Amino acid sequence: MKLLLKEYDLGFLSAQCDGIEFHMFRSDDSLSYISCIACLCENASDIITHWRAIQGFVSVHYQPKGNLASWNLYLAYVTTQKLSLWQKYEIENNKFSARKVVLDGCSEMPTPDQLAVELEKQLLGSDLTLDSRVNEPREALLSLEEFVRGAPLDQKVESKEKRASMINNIIEFLNKDENQKS
């Protein structure tokens, strides 16, 4: 899946927030629809001032239909300045109308193409790689079946003692196995 820059009239946002540039990105996969409105501004103070208003305007003017719509919509706030850790936390953990991402401290304001690549990393995990050890043979995991098969399930004293003995056997086996690995 990729995020593609889409022509979309975001005039409802531009009219309310001077000095902030807006771009729309949408996934190219119709089965897993994701959209992201990127809000680019030089000054971090503009993000702090306008992020709540932006999410409100988006919820009124853009919000896709459906029960999980807010989980398919992202607002990405991008700035060359740094936000405080608390400000970033507050924005990213606010779940009203959309999920939010803050990309702060950029060396320069990204182009839409550069932003698409960075958003793919942030939202889709495109920079993640599979561990090369995934296909290596692994040691068989402990099967508890041999330790618990035939465990009595009633409340008799003898049954409780039998279950306690089974648990002790498992613990001893695990301790022995762990000591051999050390």
Side-chain angles (χ1 to χ4, degrees), residues 3-181:
L3 287 179
L4 304 174
L5 183 64
K6 294 291 182 184
E7 289 299 320
Y8 190 84
D9 182 13
L10 296 171
F12 67 93
L13 289 172
S14 298
Q16 302 297 323
C17 305
D18 288 335
I20 300 178
E21 182 181 338
F22 296 96
H23 296 284
M24 170 67 79
F25 295 87
R26 287 195 185 150
S27 59
D28 63 349
D29 181 359
S30 61
L31 295 177
S32 28
Y33 176 79
I34 292 176
S35 62
C36 178
I37 297 174
C39 313
L40 289 80
C41 52
E42 291 289 334
N43 299 318
S45 60
D46 290 338
I47 291 175
I48 302 307
T49 302
H50 296 291
W51 74 270
R52 283 188 179 91
I54 291 169
Q55 76 176 356
F57 294 128
V58 166
S59 71
V60 170
H61 294 282
Y62 177 74
Q63 191 72 46
K65 304 292 183 235
N67 291 340
L68 300 175
S70 65
W71 294 108
N72 294 334
L73 173 63
Y74 289 85
L75 287 171
Y77 299 97
V78 183
T79 183
T80 55
Q81 296 180 339
K82 292 289 280 179
L83 273 73
S84 75
L85 189 58
W86 170 249
Q87 291 166 330
K88 193 171 179 175
Y89 177 86
E90 181 182 18
I91 293 168
E92 290 185 338
N93 286 285
N94 179 290
K95 304 302 184 215
F96 174 72
S97 85
R99 292 188 271 184
K100 296 159 192 77
V101 175
V102 175
L103 303 173
D104 62 341
C106 300
S107 58
E108 61 184 22
M109 200 55 71
T111 65
D113 290 337
Q114 292 168 330
L115 189 54
V117 170
E118 185 59 33
L119 289 173
E120 284 178 11
K121 289 178 187 175
Q122 295 290 321
L123 307 181
L124 306 176
S126 67
D127 60 336
L128 301 177
T129 58
L130 190 58
D131 189 332
S132 61
R133 299 175 296 168
V134 73
N135 293 323
E136 291 178 8
R138 294 187 182 199
E139 186 178 312
L141 297 175
L142 169 66
S143 171
L144 293 177
E145 181 181 6
E146 63 188 73
F147 289 100
V148 296
R149 182 170 294 280
L153 302 176
D154 57 37
Q155 294 297 318
K156 295 179 187 173
V157 173
E158 302 85 30
S159 299
K160 290 179 183 180
E161 289 173 357
K162 176 71 174 168
R163 288 192 301 269
S165 173
M166 293 173 146
I167 292 170
N168 286 334
N169 289 340
I170 292 170
I171 292 170
E172 286 175 26
F173 176 81
L174 292 174
N175 284 336
K176 182 180 78 171
D177 188 49
E178 188 171 300
N179 290 336
Q180 288 176 354
K181 289 181 181 178

